Structure formats: structure tokens, C-alpha cells
Amino acid sequence: MKDQTLFPLYNKRGLPETPQQVSQKPGDGTQQTHPRRVYIETYGCQMNVSDSELMAGILTQSGHQTVMHIDDADVVLVNTCAIRENAETKVINRLQHLNHRKRRQPELIIGVCGCMAQHLRDRLLEAAPYVDLVMGPDAYRNLPIALDSLIRDEEAHISLTDRDPFLGLRLDKTEDYADIAPIRKDGIRAWLTIQRGCDKMCTFCIVPFVRGRERSLPLKLLVEDVEKLVDQGFKEVVLLGQTVNSYRDNGSDFGDLLFAVGEVNGLERVRFTSPHPADATDSMINAMASCPTVCKHLHLPLQSGSTTVLERMRRTYTAEEYRTLVAKLRERIPNIALSTDIIVGFCGETDEEFEQTYQMMANIRYDSAFMFKYSEREGTLAHKALPDDVPETVKGERLKQIIELQEQISADINTAAIGGTVAVLVEGESRRETEKYHGKTDGFKTAVFPKMDSKIGDVVNVRVDSTTAHTLIGQIINGHA
Ligand code: 5AD
């Protein structure tokens, strides 16, 4: 294992060092002589879910099979997240479990893919020496080659301790997987990656270091993808990107893409996540305001309501600019649902600075929010330059305060919806009450209602009769919306 760091893309298996030299591309007709059953387990964000669908596509094209149950697998790929420390701790614990499994099933190949693999690189092997494969988000094209090489070792009866793990850790700013057909579970909502990587360099964030530079997929191809998804029966498409609204393809911007996708025949709804406030252009707002299929819901990460904290975070906007943007959005798109991400306890955050965040949340009144304690990530700009000096207890107390505030606001907004009617895209049977369906409103709230004569995939009008903390409960009225 000693030479791994010298060969960032491949280890000493003698494989070529640059991706261009790899001739065995998935789908090039190469027949898989050692098909394996692969179980992919996904942690983290929607982008990872989408990447797992890509991995399934790559593996299937090269003759492997993906399976739904780990007991049926001879390869387990764990697609990981690195955004906060607890995301990585969770995976390390999971890997220990997988190691127990490997003791019972020694030929089991364990792979760690995704952001944590890219972040920890070969150090991951110190924590989990039984891992066979470590692969970052730009290297999935090499999965079949990696499996082949690991399988060859196994068949040559090289003992487990003498086998070299396979490393695929080169970030490649040209890799967009445009030619790979992802394998998705059938359903109502499909996720479509329109852009990979991030150029923003927020000081707290590991993403640019583990996902590389920003690159967008061609608009024409994406529209064709959406047409295919509609043909397959999907009713809603969620466009995905790390800073989704910085999308660019030649002269087209994100607003152009929203319009183009929104007009695809048969598509009921388009959403997107996650935009960056600095890229919330008039073009994007116009598309949201005027294209009926584009949902009137915006997840707009604020991170902090204090301009000085935002500066330390290098968010590139002030609290005032963000407030102005929200006012503009609400003017152009009345009833727009807003959600956000907040980090408390970022480096040097004072009581006053935290209070500004609290006040801003109280004033804006988001429909919902994801709230986090700052978690220092090795390699980020904050890790290099700013001390993580807010005590853990203070972070915890601040988090508790904003969670309480947000719970109250979300509950009040839901209560105000009682008596009104919402259009709901029917997604499936309610888990608790089989005579009911659940679905999402345009603003991404969950609604539960008796099925009556509706079907999964319909858009129905639901009158809201009551609410729980996060759910609207009601009845279908007037048949379809
Ligand atoms: N610590 C805590 N939260 C973080 N996020 C990103 N990096 C960190 C970090 N180091 C949060 C941000 C981002 C969301 C996806 O995760 O709020 O918007």
C-alpha cells in the first residue's frame, strides 16, 4: 500500500495515469467477463443520490448488476458525504459494520465513493484498512476497471492483506458524465444533474475541494433528458447543482434552462436545488414568475443574517442585499415558499452577530429551514485562516434557539393554510394510512388526504382541514387540479 499517494488516480496495478488513456469505457461494447452484483448505499445530499444513479448506469452498461438488498451483493459501494464531521463519523461506523460482514464473506468488495473518499483520500485506509476501493466523484467512469482489477486479485488468490486497494481520486474539470444514462427507480420525481462542482469558495465549505470546479451540461442535452424522463412516466424533475443557478451553456443561463425545461410537453413540475443568492438573477426570477410548471418554491441558503459573518464566510452578499432579494422575489412571485440553510457558531460569531441571524429568520419567516452547527472541515479556507472558537455549548444553545423559532414559524404558516386549497402532485400511499395518499404542494409541503378516485401522478386540489408540525391534512375537492 505504500506508493498510493504517488499515483493519485490509480495505484500500482499498472493502470494508466490519465483518464484519457483509459480505452475501456463503459458502453464501448466491452463484455464483462466477471459480472458482479453491486449494492450501492447513499449518504448525504440529492447530488449523491443522483451520482449513485450514475454509478448504477456505468456498472450496468459494463455488464454488472445492481441489487436492492445487501445480502444479495458481492460488492458494496458506499457513496459518502463530507459536508460536516458527523457525516463522516456515520460512514466510518457503517464501514465497521461492513467489515464484520466481510469477515463472514471474505470475497466481499467494499468501496468508499463520493465526497468523503475525495476528502480523506488514502487516509481513509488508515481508519478502514479493509476497504478495497476509494473513489472520488469525478472517477466513477473507472468503476468497471477497478472492479475488474480487484476481482483479478481475488481470483489469483492474493491474500486479503496483500491486496492493494484501488484509488480513483483525480478531480477532472471536464468530467460531466454527459454520455452516461443514469439508472433511476421508477417514480414521480426524477433528479437531473445539470451542473457539477463549485467555484464559489465559501470559507466553511468542503465542496469545491471534493467536487472540483464548476461545469454545466449542455442545455440541448438536458432538454432531451427531460423529454425522456417524461416518456418514462416522471411528472416532476428537480434540477440539481451545487450552485444550480450559476448554470451556463454558451449564451444560455439558468433562466433560459428553466424556460426550456418548463416547456417540455407532459411535464407537470420543475424544481431546482440549491441556488446561491448571488446568482439569483432577473432571468431566473422571470422564469420562476412566468413559467407555470416552475414551482414557486425557492431554497435560498442564507447561512447567516450578519454581514460581518457573511464576509468571513465569503458569501459575496450582505444581509441587506439578501433582504432586498427576498423583497423582490415576494413582489414578483406572491406566495413564493422560501426555505433556507443556516450555520450557527461560525468562527468568531458573537452574540450580536447571532442575534442578527435570529432576527432575520424572524423577519423573513421561512417556510422551513435546515439548521446546522458549524463543523470545521480540514482543507477549507476557514480551517486554514479562522479559529473555530465558538464553544460547542454555545453552538448548541444557538442552534436550539433558532430551531424553536423556526418550528413556531413553520407551524404558524401551516395553520394559516387551513381552509385554503393547494394543488398536490400525488406521489404514493401514506405510510401510516393506506387509504390515503401523500404528495407535495407546489411550495414543497407534504399533504396527506383520502385517495378518493385519484391516482399516483395526478395533480389534485386538496382543501386543507388541519395540520401537524410539518404536514397538511385535507380532502380532495373538485377532482383534478
Ligand atoms: N459546517 C456546518 N454546516 C455546513 N454546511 C456546509 N458546510 C458546513 C460546515 N462546515 C451547510 C450549509 C450548506 C448546507 C448544504 O450545509 O448551510 O448550505
Side-chain angles (χ1 to χ4, degrees), residues 360-375:
M360 189 124 165
M361 292 178 75
N363 292 336
I364 289 182
R365 297 179 63 76
Y366 294 101
D367 290 72
S368 63
F370 294 99
M371 296 159 275
F372 312 103
K373 287 191 268 186
Y374 172 58
S375 161

Side-chain angles (χ1 to χ4, degrees), residues 110-379:
I110 301 176
V112 182
C113 302
C115 297
M116 178 181 170
Q118 192 70 43
H119 183 211
L120 297 182
R121 306 175 70 93
D122 50 335
R123 279 185 298 150
L124 192 64
L125 299 167
E126 287 160 24
Y130 43 84
V131 163
D132 302 285
L133 165 79
V134 183
M135 192 169 269
D138 284 348
Y140 298 146
R141 211 176 269 283
N142 301 316
L143 270 173
I145 296 171
L147 290 191
D148 261 3
S149 132
L150 293 164
I151 292 163
R152 268 201 306 275
D153 275 5
E154 192 186 290
E155 291 184 345
H157 302 292
I158 296 176
S159 78
L160 282 176
T161 44
D162 288 340
R163 288 184 203 169
D164 284 320
F166 191 102
L167 302 183
L169 295 166
R170 186 191 293 272
L171 286 173
D172 177 359
K173 67 173 191 282
T174 65
E175 181 56 277
D176 60 8
Y177 299 110
D179 57 321
I180 306 289
I183 294 190
R184 300 177 168 88
K185 279 197 213 123
D186 287 343
I188 294 304
R189 178 178 301 120
W191 283 270
L192 181 66
T193 298
I194 66 158
Q195 174 222 53
R196 302 181 69 84
C198 181
D199 284 352
K200 286 286 190 278
M201 288 295 171
C202 302
T203 53
F204 55 80
C205 190
I206 194 73
V207 167
F209 302 96
V210 293
R211 286 196 165 265
R213 303 302 301 268
E214 194 176 295
R215 63 218 94 129
S216 295
L217 281 98
L219 184 141
K220 190 167 166 290
L221 182 102
L222 292 170
V223 172
E224 285 165 12
D225 282 347
V226 173
E227 286 165 351
K228 283 187 209 143
L229 289 169
V230 170
D231 286 345
Q232 286 166 34
F234 290 100
K235 302 286 179 193
E236 177 177 308
V237 170
V238 188
L239 307 178
L240 287 179
Q242 244 77 45
T243 52
V244 71
N245 55 337
S246 63
Y247 176 88
R248 279 215 165 271
D249 175 40
N250 292 315
S252 304
D253 66 9
F254 183 65
D256 299 325
L257 178 70
L258 271 182
F259 265 118
V261 168
E263 276 169 11
V264 168
N265 236 328
L267 187 68
E268 294 283 355
R269 287 177 170 176
V270 189
R271 303 181 187 279
F272 55 91
T273 197
S274 273
H276 191 288
D279 292 318
T281 59
D282 286 344
S283 163
M284 179 195 99
I285 298 172
N286 285 342
M288 289 188 76
S290 55
C291 192
T293 46
V294 179
C295 290
K296 312 304 178 237
H297 168 222
L298 192 62
H299 182 71
L300 197 63
L302 168 65
Q303 312 299 3
S304 168
S306 150
T307 294
T308 41
V309 174
L310 289 169
E311 263 167 24
R312 294 202 290 282
M313 290 178 165
R314 288 211 198 153
R315 286 292 286 175
T316 74
Y317 54 84
T318 63
E320 199 43 49
E321 283 164 347
Y322 186 100
R323 252 191 294 272
T324 307
L325 173 62
V326 168
K328 184 176 178 179
L329 284 161
R330 286 187 163 151
E331 192 196 310
R332 292 290 321 277
I333 311 164
N335 299 324
I336 186 171
L338 291 176
S339 54
T340 199
D341 290 342
I342 303 283
I343 298 175
V344 293
F346 184 63
C347 309
E349 186 185 67
T350 62
D351 286 343
E352 292 71 33
E353 287 171 331
F354 167 69
E355 187 58 28
Q356 288 170 339
T357 299
Y358 187 96
Q359 282 310 327
M360 189 124 165
M361 292 178 75
N363 292 336
I364 289 182
R365 297 179 63 76
Y366 294 101
D367 290 72
S368 63
F370 294 99
M371 296 159 275
F372 312 103
K373 287 191 268 186
Y374 172 58
S375 161
E376 187 176 60
R377 307 282 52 218
E378 195 184 323

